[in-house]
């Protein structure tokens, strides 16, 4: 399957808040001048008060500049992360997501609760409905789903999700989504997060990826 990668260029523009700060500072100086001109000559304002006002404005100015620099740094880091992970396009990643079944058995990485004495692999279709339940060894780590029903007939091609139910003395103590491999078709960033889009359309947060392999 051909994968087409679209490369976008991120342009970092200089912050406009500096001009706003300059304008605000001029306004502040004008107000301070008017305040000094109209003070009571018999009861003048303590010079230390002016110093406090100047120090306060300076503190706000520095905070605004710091926020601008942090915003620029985040944009640069996001762009760098996008560039680095562009190499992942066309590679297989393992994450808790759905897998596309086309008749080929699927390797499923399970995570059973440490206190469990038994576990089930629950298979759901693209609508989230359970289509199969298989007892698995709690210590197996990885199982292969053959994609056949309990009568040996092949399942319908499509996307399937896998969940592990952990039991202790027949009591359900945990349910976790199992991880499967999928091929990366696109890398997206937005809202401070990087997301991998797989060939089957599933979206995977990059922090949930636990393995990467060449096809």
């Amino acid at each position: 399957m051909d994968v087409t990668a679209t490369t976008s260029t991120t342009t970092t523009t200089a912050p406009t808040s500096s001009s706003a700060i300059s304008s605000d500072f001029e306004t502040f100086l004008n107000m301070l001048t008017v305040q000094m001109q109209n003070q009571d000559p018999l009861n003048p304002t303590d010079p230390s008060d002016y110093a406090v006002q100047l120090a306060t404005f300076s503190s706000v100015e520095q905070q605004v500049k710091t926020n601008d620099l942090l915003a620029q740094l985040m944009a640069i880091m996001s762009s760098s992360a996008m560039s680095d992970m562009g190499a992942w396009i066309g590679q297989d990643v393992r994450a808790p997501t759905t897998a596309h079944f086309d008749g080929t058995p699927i390797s499923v990485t399970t995570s059973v609760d440490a206190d469990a004495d038994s576990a089930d692999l629950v298979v759901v279709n693209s609508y989230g409905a359970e289509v199969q339940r298989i007892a698995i060894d709690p210590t197996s780590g990885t199982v292969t789903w053959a994609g056949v029903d309990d009568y040996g007939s092949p399942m319908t091609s499509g996307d399937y999700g896998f969940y592990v139910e952990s039991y202790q003395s027949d009591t359900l103590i945990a349910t976790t989504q199992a991880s499967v491999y999928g091929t990366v078709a696109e890398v997206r960033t937005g809202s401070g997060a990087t997301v991998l889009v797989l060939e089957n359309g599933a979206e995977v947060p990059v922090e949930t990826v636990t393995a990467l392999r060449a096809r």
Side-chain angles (χ1 to χ4, degrees):
M1 179 176 181
D2 294 330
V3 178
T4 301
T6 301
T7 302
S8 60
T9 302
T10 301
T11 302
T12 302
T13 57
T16 59
S17 59
S18 57
S19 59
I21 290 175
S22 177
S23 176
D24 289 344
F25 187 62
E26 290 180 5
T27 302
F28 172 75
L29 289 179
N30 290 332
M31 293 176 61
L32 191 60
T33 301
V34 172
Q35 181 182 352
M36 295 175 67
Q37 291 174 341
N38 291 276
Q39 65 180 326
D40 186 352
L42 300 178
N43 185 26
T45 303
D46 189 334
S48 62
D49 290 343
Y50 296 126
V52 170
Q53 294 180 52
L54 285 169
T56 300
F57 185 90
S58 177
S59 176
V60 173
E61 178 186 19
Q62 290 301 319
Q63 185 61 54
V64 171
K65 289 182 177 180
T66 299
N67 290 343
D68 286 339
L69 290 173
L70 287 174
Q72 292 182 66
L73 180 60
M74 290 179 65
I76 292 172
M77 292 177 65
S78 177
S79 177
S80 176
M82 172 82 78
S83 176
D84 291 342
M85 281 182 289
W88 289 20
I89 295 177
Q91 306 298 311
D92 287 342
V93 294
R94 186 179 68 195
T97 184
T98 58
H100 184 75
F101 175 67
D102 57 4
T104 303
I106 295 174
S107 177
V108 181
T109 300
T110 61
S111 180
V112 181
D113 190 280
D115 295 325
D117 51 34
S118 63
D120 285 349
L121 178 67
V122 180
V123 185
V124 300
N125 60 19
S126 58
Y127 299 101
E130 180 178 327
V131 295
Q132 193 171 35
R133 177 179 292 266
I134 306 169
I136 60 174
D137 182 352
T139 63
S140 60
T142 301
V143 297
T144 299
W145 183 62
V148 296
D149 61 23
D150 297 338
Y151 300 99
S153 300
M155 293 281 195
T156 304
S157 296
D159 292 338
Y160 291 87
F162 304 88
Y163 293 84
V164 176
E165 293 186 350
S166 301
Y167 292 88
Q168 184 180 62
S169 301
D170 296 329
T171 299
L172 179 64
I173 59 174
T175 300
T176 57
Q177 186 171 8
S179 295
V180 293
Y181 277 99
T183 304
V184 179
E186 183 181 355
V187 180
R188 294 178 184 170
T189 60
S191 302
T194 302
V195 176
L196 306 178
V197 182
L198 306 185
E199 285 186 344
N200 67 347
E203 296 186 359
V204 176
V206 68
E207 63 269 16
T208 65
V209 174
T210 56
L212 173 69
R213 71 183 184 188
R215 299 199 68 186

